Amino acid sequence: MAAKCSGVRIKVLSMAGEILYSLEADQSWKVIELKQQIASYLRPVKGLFQLSLEDGVLQDHETLADRLGTDLTLDLEVTLIFEACDLEALLLPRRCIVDRRARVVTEDVEELRRLCSMAKEILCQEPSVLDLEPPLTLAAHLAGRMDQLNTIFTQLGEPSSQTPYLFLGNYLNRGRQSSEVLIMLLAYKCKFPEHVHLLRGQQETRKATRAKGFYDECKRIYNVKIWKSFMEVLDHLPLCALVKSRIFCVSGGLSPRTCSLEQLRRIPRPTAAEGDELVCDLLWSFPEELPLPCLAASEGCCYGPEVVKQFLKASSASHFAHTTVFAWTRLSLFFGTNMFNTRLT
């Protein structure tokens, strides 16, 4: 006869290693009972898909004792795998939107929560500064325009392993289809996590989304909880990218607080951005030909050539090749267009 089962202290981890929930269970519990207990805390239940140990996925019919034996005391870490959403069902109707006034496509709220959970798990594993290699297509300044995003994909190709993309931020607000743009980008990120890269821009903050329309759009079409889910994902977005060790890409720009590339790599995520001066500079700063190194602005700052030279001097020895090019969403100012996209080979 088996020994009497004892309590098991369980830590539930995300796929990125974050502790989501801690509880005590009895070894006589079946895995399905453990799932139900976790789901009652985490919500939604539909999002709970699998629990896994290092040696494999836990099956619903198993008891903890079946897998663990009858040790008197145990500490157990299980990994929670969220249920995958139907990415194609999210992508296909949005690829048909070619009018900036087109009716938005709505999904079940639970499906969008699953999408946010998947995207957050992927982004958790990325650094604050991405190291990328060409070929790579850079695109920017979508500003809530699905027709503009679809034009990019029509002209340059849909995201795939053969057509990787780096988006430089500012996906939301102004346009009427911000939620559509974000859902489509997150779905492509989940479908091609190694070939679709999303940087954070000045519009992907709580302050900007409340002031410029995205919050109201989410509230009108879905609910405030979905806005919060989207913001949690945006808090995990990388801030910069370095392409081929010499092309530095960022949504806003630099500041005197930016000492080196290594300093940027150490920025912790997730971050809400507001209140973090360095992150705000990366999102909001503006390049200008100024006689002074920096000119304070309401958010971020205007900076001149001296700030760029200081950054290159601190970073070039170990990170940059002979030539460095800076890319940001405001490159449209120099090219005289409303949209910037280019292909690096």
Side-chain angles (χ1 to χ4, degrees), residues 166-184:
L166 171 61
F167 292 90
L168 303 180
N170 288 3
Y171 316 115
L172 309 177
N173 301 323
R174 295 191 176 90
R176 299 183 179 183
Q177 301 157 325
S178 292
S179 61
E180 304 299 315
V181 170
L182 184 57
I183 291 168
M184 190 171 187

Side-chain angles (χ1 to χ4, degrees), residues 30 53 73 88 96 121 168 195 206 250 261 301 310 337:
K30 290 186 177 180
L53 289 169
T73 58
E88 291 301 327
C96 300
E121 291 294 335
L168 303 180
H195 306 291
R206 283 165 176 76
V250 63
L261 193 62
C301 64
Q310 292 170 8
T337 63

Side-chain angles (χ1 to χ4, degrees), residues 257 290 292-303:
R257 287 180 282 263
L290 299 173
L292 298 175
C294 176
L295 178 64
S298 57
E299 296 194 272
C301 64
C302 297
Y303 64 94

Side-chain angles (χ1 to χ4, degrees), residues 35-169:
K35 284 186 177 182
Q36 291 168 350
Q37 178 68 24
I38 296 170
S40 68
Y41 173 78
L42 293 177
R43 300 185 185 275
V45 176
K46 288 183 179 180
L48 191 61
F49 186 47
Q50 292 180 341
L51 295 174
S52 69
L53 289 169
E54 291 183 359
D55 56 347
V57 174
L58 296 174
Q59 302 301 319
D60 287 352
H61 65 273
E62 292 182 309
T63 66
L64 297 180
D66 290 336
R67 181 61 70 93
L68 303 173
T70 56
D71 293 341
L72 293 179
T73 58
L74 287 169
D75 287 302
L76 177 66
E77 291 186 348
V78 297
T79 300
L80 174 63
I81 304 174
F82 287 94
E83 183 177 7
C85 58
D86 189 344
L87 298 177
E88 291 301 327
L90 295 173
L91 289 170
L92 287 176
R94 289 176 172 81
R95 283 295 282 123
C96 300
I97 296 177
V98 294
D99 185 349
R100 72 176 65 182
R101 296 181 179 85
R103 183 176 65 86
V104 296
V105 183
T106 59
E107 275 81 28
D108 179 74
V109 168
E110 300 301 331
E111 185 77 353
L112 295 184
R113 286 181 178 172
R114 287 194 287 273
L115 174 66
C116 290
S117 295
M118 288 180 65
K120 189 163 63 173
E121 291 294 335
I122 292 170
L123 294 169
C124 273
Q125 301 176 57
E126 295 185 340
S128 293
V129 180
L130 301 174
D131 288 288
L132 306 176
E133 292 293 329
L136 190 67
T137 299
L138 272 62
H141 208 62
L142 300 173
R145 293 273 304 277
M146 270 301 303
D147 60 324
Q148 186 163 289
L149 180 57
N150 278 323
T151 297
I152 292 173
F153 290 156
T154 299
Q155 294 178 352
L156 303 177
E158 288 193 49
S160 68
S161 56
Q162 288 74 43
T163 314
Y165 276 86
L166 171 61
F167 292 90
L168 303 180

